[in-house]
Amino acid sequence: MNNAHQVTVKEQENICDNTKDVTHIFQVNFFAMCLLNTFPWDHEMLEAEPLDILYEALGDVMISQEGDTCYKTYLLPTGDAFSLAENVALISDGTTGLVTWEAALYLAEWALDNANVFKNKTVLELGSGVGLTGIVVCRSSSPTKYIFSDCHQTVLQRLRGNVANCLTDCHSNSVSVCVEQVDWQNVSDEQLQRIQANTIIAADVVYDPDIISCLVRLLARLLNCNFQESHPDVYIASTVRNPETYDCFKTELEKAGLRHDIITDFVTQVFPYNRVSTIEVIKIHV
């Protein structure tokens, strides 16, 4: 009788734990405005009836008309949270830079696991988009200065708004932040010298064969600059959607005399997104 009672209590504890886990996952997905099919709808595992009010709310969300802009809230392991203005459409105003892509989330998670890479450094991010990766780095890794950059005017406007909203003095740990327009093809030596970054990062910038050559030329300039005492550290995160395009990028790196190492460290998943696609972080050096 005692054993049966103990089993029953254990089962109840497991159900309670599962409920807490699923509730937390649901909450994180909801605030991050994830696709509905990624939510933990399998209520049967909880051995409990779903709330009618939850289904009613779901119905309201599904039939509501989407606007052009939404606000996505991201939760950090510390419990800290911030919201970014992003576009609903993946491509709008002729750019893909108004939404957060998987490699940006992955690179942000890698930064959380490797805060020492950015501590007390001047960081330049190429193709910052709406700013997710940089905001995470500034809030968790204590860089001295962080330069967000992009070239599309609409993206820059959105980026400036997100940086201003998410990196106030009380949250940025006195990090000096700025947003700059950096045209990979036409950036001047004077601008690069003024920036003088000793850590350079980028996420999801290897997707179009037409821009690979100018990206590699810029990386070569940054790594071979003669106005710094040492070569900067360069990290590029990419979602490998088209292997031929990604192989082309690595081939162009070799032609430019640049080597790369694939970072194989385990990366703790913090944000809700699909990791089915291959996402790779490489360190580029001379």
Side-chain angles (χ1 to χ4, degrees):
M1 178 68 71
N2 289 339
N3 288 340
H5 175 70
Q6 291 174 359
V7 170
T8 302
V9 170
K10 186 64 176 179
E11 288 175 347
Q12 291 175 344
E13 290 176 350
N14 289 339
I15 292 172
C16 183
D17 290 341
N18 288 338
T19 303
K20 290 179 181 178
D21 290 343
V22 172
T23 301
H24 174 73
I25 295 170
F26 186 94
Q27 185 181 37
V28 170
N29 279 268
F30 176 81
F31 283 114
M33 296 191 69
C34 292
L35 297 175
L36 293 175
N37 61 6
T38 66
F39 279 51
W41 297 114
D42 187 10
H43 61 272
E44 293 180 359
M45 66 175 286
L46 302 178
E47 300 182 11
E49 291 296 323
L51 295 175
D52 289 339
I53 191 173
L54 177 60
Y55 276 134
E56 291 174 4
L58 173 61
D60 291 340
V61 170
M62 293 180 71
I63 65 175
S64 64
Q65 184 175 1
E66 293 182 333
D68 293 334
T69 305
C70 63
Y71 287 86
K72 294 188 178 182
T73 299
Y74 297 92
L75 304 177
L76 297 177
T78 58
D80 192 13
F82 60 91
S83 297
L84 297 181
E86 304 187 22
N87 271 31
V88 174
L90 297 180
I91 302 175
S92 51
D93 291 335
T95 178
T96 58
L98 293 168
V99 297
T100 296
W101 294 88
E102 290 87 351
L105 292 160
Y106 189 87
L107 185 58
E109 292 169 338
W110 182 82
L112 288 170
D113 285 343
N114 297 273
N116 59 299
V117 171
F118 304 96
K119 187 174 182 179
N120 300 325
K121 299 293 181 64
T122 296
V123 183
L124 168 64
E125 182 183 2
L126 302 174
S128 298
V130 294
L132 180 280
T133 302
I135 289 168
V136 171
V137 171
C138 289
R139 295 189 111 169
S140 62
S141 302
S142 302
T144 301
K145 183 176 182 179
Y146 197 98
I147 302 100
F148 297 82
S149 75
D150 216 289
C151 64
H152 194 283
Q153 289 302 319
T154 305
V155 176
L156 285 168
Q157 183 179 2
R158 179 69 55 79
L159 178 59
R160 291 188 179 100
N162 283 337
V163 169
N165 291 334
C166 299
L167 293 179
T168 58
D169 291 339
C170 61
H171 287 126
S172 62
N173 297 321
S174 300
V175 179
S176 173
V177 299
C178 65
V179 177
E180 291 210 18
Q181 181 175 3
V182 175
D183 184 335
W184 298 350
Q185 194 162 2
N186 299 310
V187 60
S188 65
D189 289 337
E190 289 75 16
Q191 185 178 15
L192 297 181
Q193 184 172 5
R194 175 170 50 79
I195 292 172
Q196 287 201 37
N198 41 38
T199 301
I200 297 155
I201 65 172
D204 253 331
V205 293
V206 183
Y207 58 88
D208 184 351
D210 293 336
I211 65 172
I212 286 177
S213 58
C214 65
L215 171 60
V216 171
R217 285 195 298 270
L218 174 58
L219 295 176
R221 290 173 64 189
L222 289 165
L223 281 163
N224 291 293
C225 60
N226 56 12
F227 46 80
Q228 293 186 186
E229 295 181 358
S230 59
H231 299 295
D233 294 323
V234 179
Y235 301 92
I236 307 292
S238 303
T239 302
V240 186
R241 300 180 182 87
N242 186 329
E244 291 183 1
T245 300
Y246 196 53
D247 289 343
C248 176
F249 171 60
K250 291 184 175 181
T251 299
E252 290 298 315
L253 288 174
E254 293 178 6
K255 290 180 180 178
L258 303 179
R259 295 176 293 168
H260 72 274
D261 298 318
I262 300 173
I263 297 177
T264 58
D265 301 339
F266 173 78
V267 176
T268 305
Q269 184 161 5
V270 174
F271 305 111
Y273 66 101
N274 193 341
R275 273 197 180 183
V276 173
S277 300
T278 300
I279 304 175
E280 186 172 273
V281 178
I282 62 173
K283 182 176 183 180
I284 302 173
H285 51 93
V286 292

